Amino acid sequence: MNSGAESSQIAIQKDKRLFERIRQGDQRALAEIYDHRSSLVYSLAFSIVGNVDDSEEVTQEVFLRVWRKAKIFDPKRGSALAWIVTMTRRLAIDRTRSKSYKSQSRSVELFSQIDESVSSKHYSNPTDEMLLRLQTGEVTIALKNLNEKHLEVINLSYYQSMSHSEIAAHLESPLGTVKSRLREAVNHLRNSLNAKVRSND
Amino acid sequence: MIEHKIAYELIEEFVFGTLSQEEHDQVEEHLDSGCEQCAVRYREVSELSAQLGQAVPQKSPASHVKENLLKQILGESEFDSKEVSSKTIWPWVSAVSIAASLLLLFWANSLRNELLQVRDELHQSQGQIARLIQDSSVQKDAAFLLGLPCSWLVDLKGVEPNKDAFAKVVLNPKIDFAVAYVYRMPPSPADREYQLWIELDGQPVSVGVFKVGQDGQALLKLQSISDPMSIQSFQVTIEPKGGLAKPSGMQYLTGMNAMPAMPSMH
Ligand SMILES: [Zn+2]
């Protein structure tokens, strides 16, 4: 029994119902989806921008767009949550770029703000460090099951928000290698996470 | 427009948000063009992205973020419905600050649709403050009437199907106004108001219109009661906003038996 997958399915259904109400202009539904998803949006933004002010602004902007664009949101393209997360990442990363953040130092700072006790220790391997900082759950289990190279590109691409070319430069690998490695990593993660959802059905 | 092969290769980065603006727009355009294969990949990667995002240590944003957001969307919806006219706000809006009036506008509008929790949180407190300003002046009038030795109370009783509703009218033979307290009334619909009538020489005469909110209550001052003792009865009906010259709608309250407000002093 995988209660995590089950509760995430319930949460996705809740998003769906709330989106239907938002589409009809129900402001209470927006407040509800905010209550439901603002911690995720804020935390994700914080993990990218690394400061409270920008994270708050990104959070507000994301939900403002949910309100304004719910009418044109197409459920066939994916879940509301996926749309929200994609939007959050885009807005947060844009912000770091417009403020010319340095991608290398950024990740270290942002995590130190989340958890001082973890950052005060020294970890030689940045990927291990990433795993330690993530909330334990099915995602971290799936990540731990990846091979080292796949885990590395997921960390750099997703949790450090580096572009493919930045990763290529960082790893001193060809761009094509980075792309194919990331695609493989994404597929492996999808397989292990979806397998869990299916076994729960 | 970029080719499918190129767009497809950029979908992971598109979803993770790390593409340049130009590439981002190109991929978006390609997805919008309806490429099925890219749509499937987009869905796969974005669902995974949502799962990965949930592993980030969770913190809640400060409460002002929600407040600012809701203020903004409430502002936008007011622009959308320009037909909110001064008639929809309570007549005493001029007595309160501009900021409070704006909030009241939202408040009045929310009553017209349905009382939304969001608006409650944000604006009801402001609405209540403004209402208290009004109520307190009527309260003073009521206290004044009740303090006079010869004031009378009239009980108005609810009419089916609103048997629970009731009202008390305080009046005094020597004073040209009266005060009515209304309780447990159904909230008035957005486009309608309650109208209070007195019967003089067998004819109904309007003495005021009022709205009732979710709390079911109203407090109103009845002007120009020239001869309170000649009032034969009271009734409250529901009428189009602003009231009519003669009662036309359903009756909600009725009453005729006056009794001394302070029997011991009478
Ligand atoms: Zn395509």
Side-chain angles (χ1 to χ4, degrees):
Chain A
M1 186 72 196
N2 188 332
S3 64
E6 185 188 25
S7 64
S8 77
Q9 285 308 304
I10 292 168
I12 282 167
Q13 287 307 310
K14 182 175 175 179
D15 290 334
K16 205 174 167 185
R17 285 193 303 273
L18 289 172
F19 255 64
E20 278 158 19
R21 286 168 53 200
I22 291 168
R23 258 200 275 265
Q24 290 159 10
D26 184 342
Q27 292 152 345
R28 188 170 48 184
L30 185 79
E32 281 179 42
I33 204 157
Y34 181 93
D35 292 342
H36 190 211
R37 295 301 190 187
S38 62
S39 292
L40 172 62
V41 167
Y42 178 75
S43 308
L44 192 55
F46 193 92
S47 76
I48 294 166
V49 300
N51 71 75
V52 169
D53 287 351
D54 284 320
S55 309
E56 288 182 350
E57 283 175 28
V58 167
T59 304
Q60 194 178 328
E61 182 62 25
V62 165
F63 286 98
L64 207 53
R65 289 191 184 196
V66 167
W67 177 247
R68 290 174 181 162
K69 295 189 171 179
K71 281 197 178 89
I72 57 165
F73 166 75
D74 181 0
K76 281 184 227 129
R77 281 201 176 178
S79 68
L81 177 65
W83 184 58
I84 287 173
V85 166
T86 303
M87 193 156 56
T88 302
R89 293 191 60 87
R90 182 70 193 163
L91 288 168
I93 291 169
D94 271 358
R95 203 161 271 259
T96 65
R97 286 180 179 171
S98 62
K99 294 200 169 181
S100 57
Y101 279 60
K102 285 177 190 155
S103 62
Q104 285 298 353
S105 59
R106 188 170 77 221
S107 58
V108 180
E109 286 164 21
L110 69 91
F111 279 121
S112 68
Q113 290 190 46
I114 289 173
D115 189 346
E116 288 296 337
S117 65
V118 176
S119 73
S120 63
K121 295 173 192 162
H122 184 74
Y123 296 98
S124 52
N125 184 335
T127 314
D128 287 350
E129 195 176 334
M130 179 266 289
L131 283 174
L132 274 167
R133 291 175 198 284
L134 293 177
Q135 298 196 134
T136 51
E138 57 192 31
V139 172
T140 35
I141 294 167
L143 287 168
K144 281 174 186 164
N145 286 333
L146 290 177
N147 74 35
E148 208 174 303
K149 295 220 179 289
H150 288 153
L151 184 56
E152 185 177 47
V153 288
I154 285 287
N155 177 36
L156 296 173
S157 174
Y158 192 88
Y159 293 107
Q160 314 299 329
S161 306
M162 285 165 75
S163 69
H164 285 182
S165 44
E166 284 171 324
I167 297 170
H170 179 76
L171 297 178
E172 297 174 351
S173 297
L175 188 60
T177 307
V178 171
K179 286 185 185 211
S180 56
R181 208 177 276 170
L182 182 68
R183 187 170 316 128
E184 287 161 11
V186 163
N187 292 342
H188 281 305
L189 281 173
R190 284 193 61 246
N191 287 338
S192 59
L193 288 166
N194 289 350
K196 286 184 178 173
V197 174
R198 270 196 300 274
S199 72
N200 187 53
D201 288 343
Chain B
M1 187 177 301
I2 53 170
E3 287 172 40
H4 160 73
K5 194 170 173 287
I6 297 168
Y8 192 82
E9 287 212 326
L10 293 174
I11 289 183
E12 282 85 3
E13 272 200 275
F14 176 81
V15 170
F16 291 178
T18 54
L19 285 180
S20 69
Q21 190 61 51
E22 193 189 354
E23 286 175 313
H24 180 90
D25 293 346
Q26 287 172 337
V27 174
E28 194 159 51
E29 194 186 1
H30 180 76
L31 284 166
D32 286 343
S33 76
C35 174
E36 193 52 42
Q37 218 179 330
C38 285
V40 168
R41 186 60 179 169
Y42 169 79
R43 201 157 53 225
E44 289 172 354
V45 182
S46 67
E47 298 300 342
L48 176 70
S49 172
Q51 287 176 296
L52 294 176
Q54 290 177 79
V56 169
Q58 301 285 296
K59 305 169 73 160
S60 297
S63 60
H64 66 87
V65 180
K66 185 180 181 184
E67 285 160 22
N68 290 341
L69 170 75
L70 296 180
K71 264 181 213 159
Q72 201 158 345
I73 67 149
L74 288 169
E76 283 179 11
S77 28
E78 290 313 318
F79 276 114
D80 291 345
S81 58
K82 290 206 176 77
E83 48 116 20
V84 175
S85 71
S86 57
K87 280 184 210 156
T88 61
I89 21 179
W90 297 51
W92 35 265
V93 152
S94 58
V96 297
S97 71
I98 291 168
S101 316
L102 254 171
L103 293 164
L104 276 165
L105 204 71
F106 301 144
W107 194 57
N109 192 41
S110 77
L111 292 176
R112 192 175 52 186
N113 302 321
E114 80 178 288
L115 197 73
L116 300 172
Q117 185 192 335
V118 185
R119 295 181 181 198
D120 275 1
E121 282 172 12
L122 258 173
H123 304 307
Q124 199 180 32
S125 57
Q126 281 91 347
Q128 280 167 347
I129 290 163
R131 196 168 161 177
L132 280 172
I133 294 167
Q134 161 70 4
D135 284 0
S136 71
S137 93
V138 183
Q139 292 277 16
K140 272 185 202 155
D141 292 327
F144 167 74
L145 284 177
L146 288 164
L148 294 175
C150 299
S151 288
W152 292 73
L153 269 183
V154 184
D155 274 321
L156 276 62
K157 293 194 164 61
V159 177
E160 285 285 13
N162 299 292
K163 274 281 188 200
D164 282 345
F166 67 96
K168 306 244 178 226
V169 180
V170 192
L171 43 79
N172 187 288
K174 298 193 172 74
I175 308 294
D176 67 351
F177 66 85
V179 170
Y181 293 87
V182 179
Y183 301 95
R184 295 188 198 161
M185 285 281 272
S188 43
D191 55 341
R192 319 203 74 188
E193 283 176 316
Y194 291 110
Q195 192 163 11
L196 179 59
W197 309 87
I198 54 173
E199 185 189 349
L200 296 170
D201 295 322
Q203 295 297 313
V205 176
S206 173
V207 286
V209 291
F210 61 98
K211 287 174 184 290
V212 171
Q214 294 292 313
D215 62 3
Q217 298 183 16
L219 174 60
L220 65 155
K221 187 171 174 176
L222 318 175
Q223 304 282 3
S224 321
I225 309 275
S226 54
D227 182 9
M229 290 301 110
S230 62
I231 298 171
Q232 294 161 310
S233 71
F234 287 83
Q235 67 163 326
V236 170
T237 58
I238 188 103
E239 303 294 351
K241 204 169 4 182
L244 295 178
K246 296 274 172 217
S248 71
M250 194 173 115
Q251 196 181 50
Y252 278 75
L253 295 166
T254 180
M256 56 190 300
N257 298 325
M259 57 185 285
M262 302 173 78
S264 60
M265 291 178 69
H266 189 60

